[in-house]
Amino acid sequence: MPLLHLLIVALIQGITEFLPVSSSGHLILLPRLTGLADQGQALDVAVHVGTLGAVILYFWKDVAAVLAGLPRLARGRTDTYGSRMAFLLIVATVPVIVVGLALSVTGLDEALRSVAVIGWAMLLFGILLYWADQTAPLTRSAEDWTIRGAVIMGLWQAVALIPGTSRSGITITGGRLLGMDRQGAAKIAMLMSIPTIMASGTLVGAKALRNPAPGLWADAGIAALFAFLSALLALTLMMRLLRSVSFTPYVIYRCVLGVILIAVAYS
């Protein structure tokens, strides 16, 4: 694949994965609206691996605590931050795995990959994010996450299997509806992305790598590297901006793009 095409795919994934604007929606739209060849599932997995590395590096202290807490969780104990967070992340990941497998088996995952679906999801879930961010209280932090909250945010995350919804956007919406402050909701949403990306990457990668094309590994490495760098930059900027800025700029972008896509779909 041409280097420029690889860079475009990597930058789109890296910049949009952790912003509440839907990375999958942008990746699906790229070949449909530009005429470029579809990058294929293998490169989709590669850029997701890159963004996975970015979120692990940014939240390395929390990731280290979770890994250290896994042995205690295996013994049925959730009396430390790490073991409790590990348990809550597992609980929050179950819905998206179940729904994702169901969509894959029934073939509905492909049926949802249309410009119209992405447009409506961009618009409607963008409005929902705005409503939640403007009306929900700011009374809880990431440390106040509970089993009930993990179940609720996990169910919201499953909704993100609809292209254009945005996994980070909908889980942040769920966190804000639970009363989490903006940084807390974003932090939990980012930590939830780690097991989710690992699960989806394993599933899709197993299919995509059965018959790898020539040069795939080199292309995948380049794409993963640039996705990692752009995702780390985007994540760092967003988390800093949330100290003083709401999610409204992202909502405006979503709504404008959603209206344009809906117009394109029905023209």
Side-chain angles (χ1 to χ4, degrees):
M1 181 177 290
L3 180 59
L4 179 61
H5 192 175
L6 285 176
L7 294 181
I8 291 173
V9 171
L11 291 175
I12 289 176
Q13 170 65 23
I15 293 172
T16 61
E17 173 64 30
F18 301 121
L19 302 183
V21 295
S22 180
S23 62
S24 62
H26 283 77
L27 287 177
I28 292 171
L29 289 173
L30 177 63
R32 299 194 179 191
L33 298 183
T34 64
L36 292 172
D38 192 300
Q39 62 274 5
Q41 290 185 322
L43 284 182
D44 278 354
V45 172
V47 293
H48 275 82
V49 169
T51 54
L52 176 63
V55 72
I56 289 175
L57 178 61
Y58 188 87
F59 291 106
W60 69 268
K61 290 183 179 179
D62 297 276
V63 173
V66 168
L67 292 175
L70 286 174
R72 297 184 73 84
L73 178 61
R75 296 194 297 269
R77 302 178 66 178
T78 57
D79 53 346
T80 65
Y81 169 76
S83 59
R84 182 175 63 86
M85 184 61 72
F87 174 67
L88 295 177
L89 288 173
I90 291 171
V91 170
T93 306
V94 171
V96 74
I97 291 177
V98 172
V99 176
L101 287 173
L103 291 177
S104 180
V105 169
T106 59
L108 289 176
D109 54 340
E110 290 298 326
L112 292 172
R113 294 167 65 91
S114 72
V115 174
V117 169
I118 295 171
W120 281 111
M122 282 278 188
L123 178 61
L124 296 178
F125 289 113
I127 293 172
L128 180 61
L129 172 59
Y130 179 80
W131 177 77
D133 191 41
Q134 295 299 311
T135 61
L138 299 163
T139 55
R140 297 181 180 181
S141 66
E143 285 66 34
D144 298 319
W145 203 28
T146 62
I147 295 178
R148 174 177 174 272
V151 171
I152 291 174
M153 291 183 73
L155 291 172
W156 278 115
Q157 183 171 237
V159 176
L161 292 170
I162 301 172
T165 300
S166 170
R167 194 212 58 80
S168 61
I170 201 66
T171 47
I172 288 172
T173 299
R176 289 291 295 114
L177 289 173
L178 290 169
M180 284 187 183
D181 58 53
R182 294 183 179 108
Q183 283 189 300
K187 177 179 178 178
I188 294 299
M190 299 308 113
L191 291 175
M192 285 175 61
S193 75
I194 295 174
T196 301
I197 292 175
M198 291 175 68
S200 62
T202 300
L203 178 65
V204 176
K207 291 193 228 178
L209 298 178
R210 285 174 188 167
N211 297 297
L216 174 62
W217 294 109
D219 288 352
I222 294 171
L225 174 61
F226 281 95
F228 167 79
L229 295 174
S230 55
L232 187 59
L233 176 61
L235 179 56
T236 302
L237 290 176
M238 185 186 76
M239 294 303 291
R240 288 183 180 178
L241 285 173
L242 288 181
R243 298 171 186 169
S244 56
V245 179
S246 71
F247 291 106
T248 300
Y250 305 111
V251 170
I252 293 173
Y253 172 80
R254 288 183 63 111
C255 290
V256 170
L257 180 57
V259 169
I260 292 173
L261 293 177
I262 291 170
V264 169
Y266 294 104
S267 62

